[in-house]
Amino acid sequence: MAESTSVAASGPAFMTRVKAWLGRHWAYVWLLLVVTGPLLLYHFRAALRLYQAVVTVTGFINTLTPKFYVALTGTSSLISGLILIFEWCYFRKYGTSFIEQVSVNHLRPLMGGIDPEASAEGFFPSSGENETSRQTLSECKVWRNPLNLFRGAEYNRYTWVTGKEPLTYYDMNLSAQDHQTFFTCDTDSLRPSDAVMQKAWRERSPQSRVKAAYQALEVSNDCATAYILLAEEEATTISDAEKLFQQALKASETAYKKSQQTQHMSSQHEAQYKRDMNVLVYTKRRLAMCARKLGRIREAVKIMRDLMKEFPLLSMVNIHENLLEALLELQAYADVQAVLAKYDDISLPKSATICYTAALLKARAVSDRFSPETASRRGLSTAEMNAVEAIHRAVEFNPHVPKYLLEMKSLIMPPEHILKRGDSEAVAYAFFHLQHWKRVEGALNLLHCTWEGTFRILPYPLEKGHLFYPYPGCTENADRELLPAFHEVSVYPKKELPFFIHFTAGLCSFTAMLALLTHQFPELMGVFAKAKL
């Protein structure tokens, strides 16, 4: 029994060793086949009747008419053209070559390459690599846009005017999941109005959601989440949305005070308390955004500061980014610097708002008198060097932003969710902050003169970073899901066309030229083909 077990175990081990040996010496195996193949054919030429086969093939070729060569070259050109079109479309959508992907994933293991079930040594990285992987995954996480617009008052009005949908299904689906997470809990079934709203957040149709919100208000007129839904999706102006949010605030404050007193009674009471707190924070934040949009900026700043003071542990919702934008509108640059000093910390996650606002403040100190000609003659001063380094830091974090700030790319309405360091975050930042850069004299000129210098600092962006982790490779696909189809997604770094696209393009051109020559000069091309064959 033991002997049979050892024999069974030695079989797979032997095959593994053979595969490993072939993988290491595959080039020599191919060379041996290339050398011995012709020798074997020559040795067995009589048995294989090679001479008679060559004579038969030659006779068949001599009977072919020029029409055959026209059809042959035309068909070859058509097939290679179809392959080229497919490869190009696949590359535009997925950023890689289909033929290359199939070769790497399916043919390479069969030819002795790395097996998908390779040893753990090659696929389980060291602790340092694990840290980098975790950081990359966190950077590829999709975040709620802190400055997201109102669906009814802003997104829907854009659709009415242009006929285009500014939000993708993926983006709206993420918002629906957020609403179910923040605004529902296990005890909703005990309250009829909340039970109706629990179903409302799952509805796909906006009309169904609005109808359910009105049903919840008929059951109970103090249902805060129903007012929130109506303010977000039915209100067609910011003023109407603000009125609904004010009603939601009264209801949410009452519910929060009640659940605050009973939160320690059970786990269900604690879950209800967290839900009521989320509703209250969301309502106050949206009221602050309404005040900001209606021009009452100081009131908006006060609401945000009070909210951050009352709920200091909710920094993950990034209320400070709303505060930074409002303070920049007030041109309260000292207060902006104070907020940055608190949140631009190495232990906290960065964002385009943090990095580019810090760059704007440093650029503001020198941009009004900055001249590239003067700087090239005398060199950069300390303040100018600090400003340039801050711009390089911001561009390294998100390289898509400068083209929007410099109006080299057209802006669209920002999505409800963003990917940090991606094009979606760049669109969201530039949509709200372009006016602040324009307001600082010379800031955009300084950005224009210096931002491309960032890429000289990075030897190869995807493999090595300078001040941040290497730029993640997942941003393009996620941004394509978040941004509408009519927007041309910014890709970094620019991907070169794969080899097979160049190859199929050359093949298509060559065969098309042969088809044309064969059609124009059939006799001459027929003689040429027979002479070569």
Side-chain angles (χ1 to χ4, degrees), residues 102-172:
V102 170
S103 302
V104 172
N105 295 339
H106 301 286
L107 300 182
R108 186 179 177 187
L110 297 176
M111 297 175 63
I114 297 175
D115 192 9
E117 298 179 0
S119 62
E121 182 179 356
F123 284 89
F124 288 92
S126 61
S127 59
E129 292 173 335
N130 276 327
E131 289 295 330
T132 303
S133 301
R134 283 196 293 269
Q135 180 67 19
T136 301
L137 288 174
S138 67
E139 288 182 337
C140 291
K141 174 186 174 183
V142 175
W143 298 74
R144 183 82 175 175
N145 182 4
L147 296 164
N148 66 303
L149 305 177
F150 295 86
R151 281 197 191 176
E154 292 172 304
Y155 287 121
N156 286 349
R157 292 181 69 180
Y158 175 84
T159 303
W160 298 336
V161 173
T162 64
K164 297 179 180 179
E165 290 289 343
L167 298 176
T168 63
Y169 174 78
Y170 175 69
D171 192 14
M172 291 189 289

Side-chain angles (χ1 to χ4, degrees), residues 16-204:
T16 302
R17 288 196 295 270
V18 170
K19 286 184 178 181
W21 186 87
L22 286 175
R24 290 194 299 270
H25 304 89
W26 194 249
Y28 300 105
V29 174
W30 272 110
L31 180 62
L32 180 64
L33 291 174
V34 170
V35 173
T36 58
L39 294 177
L40 289 173
L41 288 175
Y42 180 77
H43 181 71
F44 295 104
R45 66 187 184 279
L48 296 174
R49 298 181 180 179
L50 292 180
Y51 180 75
Q52 292 85 342
V54 171
V55 171
T56 303
V57 171
T58 304
F60 173 75
I61 291 174
N62 289 331
T63 61
L64 296 176
T65 63
K67 291 182 178 180
F68 171 80
Y69 295 108
V70 174
L72 178 64
T73 53
T75 305
S76 302
S77 177
L78 175 63
I79 293 174
S80 57
L82 292 176
I83 295 174
L84 173 63
I85 293 171
F86 175 78
E87 276 282 291
W88 174 253
C89 294
Y90 192 89
F91 174 75
R92 288 295 302 270
K93 185 173 182 179
Y94 299 105
T96 185
S97 165
F98 175 77
I99 300 176
E100 183 179 340
Q101 192 175 28
V102 170
S103 302
V104 172
N105 295 339
H106 301 286
L107 300 182
R108 186 179 177 187
L110 297 176
M111 297 175 63
I114 297 175
D115 192 9
E117 298 179 0
S119 62
E121 182 179 356
F123 284 89
F124 288 92
S126 61
S127 59
E129 292 173 335
N130 276 327
E131 289 295 330
T132 303
S133 301
R134 283 196 293 269
Q135 180 67 19
T136 301
L137 288 174
S138 67
E139 288 182 337
C140 291
K141 174 186 174 183
V142 175
W143 298 74
R144 183 82 175 175
N145 182 4
L147 296 164
N148 66 303
L149 305 177
F150 295 86
R151 281 197 191 176
E154 292 172 304
Y155 287 121
N156 286 349
R157 292 181 69 180
Y158 175 84
T159 303
W160 298 336
V161 173
T162 64
K164 297 179 180 179
E165 290 289 343
L167 298 176
T168 63
Y169 174 78
Y170 175 69
D171 192 14
M172 291 189 289
N173 187 50
L174 289 177
S175 296
Q177 295 176 21
D178 292 341
H179 295 151
Q180 293 176 48
T181 302
F182 296 147
F183 301 149
T184 63
C185 65
D186 296 336
T187 61
D188 283 347
S189 58
L190 303 177
R191 297 176 298 279
S193 59
D194 289 333
V196 174
M197 288 306 300
Q198 194 173 40
K199 296 178 181 178
W201 296 120
R202 298 193 181 101
E203 293 286 348
R204 290 190 176 184

Side-chain angles (χ1 to χ4, degrees), residues 344 350 354-355 358 389-397 467-468:
D344 193 4
K350 296 293 182 290
I354 293 291
C355 295
E389 288 177 354
I391 290 174
H392 287 177
R393 171 179 179 261
V395 174
E396 181 184 351
F397 182 83
L467 298 175
F468 299 99

Side-chain angles (χ1 to χ4, degrees), residues 191-317:
R191 297 176 298 279
S193 59
D194 289 333
V196 174
M197 288 306 300
Q198 194 173 40
K199 296 178 181 178
W201 296 120
R202 298 193 181 101
E203 293 286 348
R204 290 190 176 184
S205 169
Q207 293 80 11
S208 300
R209 289 194 294 270
V210 171
K211 182 179 179 181
Y214 278 115
Q215 290 175 354
L217 290 176
E218 289 176 1
V219 175
S220 175
N221 61 358
D222 60 351
C223 182
T225 53
Y227 289 118
I228 289 176
L229 192 149
L230 294 175
E232 291 286 353
E233 301 201 23
E234 194 192 36
T236 56
T237 64
I238 300 298
S239 299
D240 293 341
E242 185 180 35
K243 293 175 183 176
L244 289 167
F245 275 120
Q246 288 172 347
Q247 291 179 281
L249 179 63
K250 295 177 182 178
S252 60
E253 284 180 334
T254 303
Y256 177 72
K257 290 177 181 178
K258 290 181 180 179
S259 59
Q260 192 176 26
Q261 298 173 354
T262 61
Q263 60 175 309
H264 303 294
M265 296 177 62
S266 66
S267 58
Q268 291 182 337
H269 286 87
E270 184 179 0
Q272 183 177 342
Y273 164 73
K274 291 181 179 178
R275 193 283 304 268
D276 292 338
M277 180 178 65
N278 290 335
V279 173
L280 179 62
V281 171
Y282 184 90
T283 303
K284 288 187 174 182
R285 181 180 190 166
R286 294 305 258 177
L287 277 172
M289 295 176 71
C290 288
R292 162 68 182 91
K293 292 174 186 292
L294 294 172
R296 306 194 307 271
I297 305 173
R298 295 190 182 279
E299 178 186 341
V301 169
K302 183 179 184 305
I303 295 174
M304 294 175 196
R305 288 189 184 278
D306 293 342
L307 197 56
M308 294 167 64
K309 189 181 298 183
E310 186 178 359
F311 302 98
L313 299 179
L314 292 180
S315 60
M316 74 287 295
V317 296

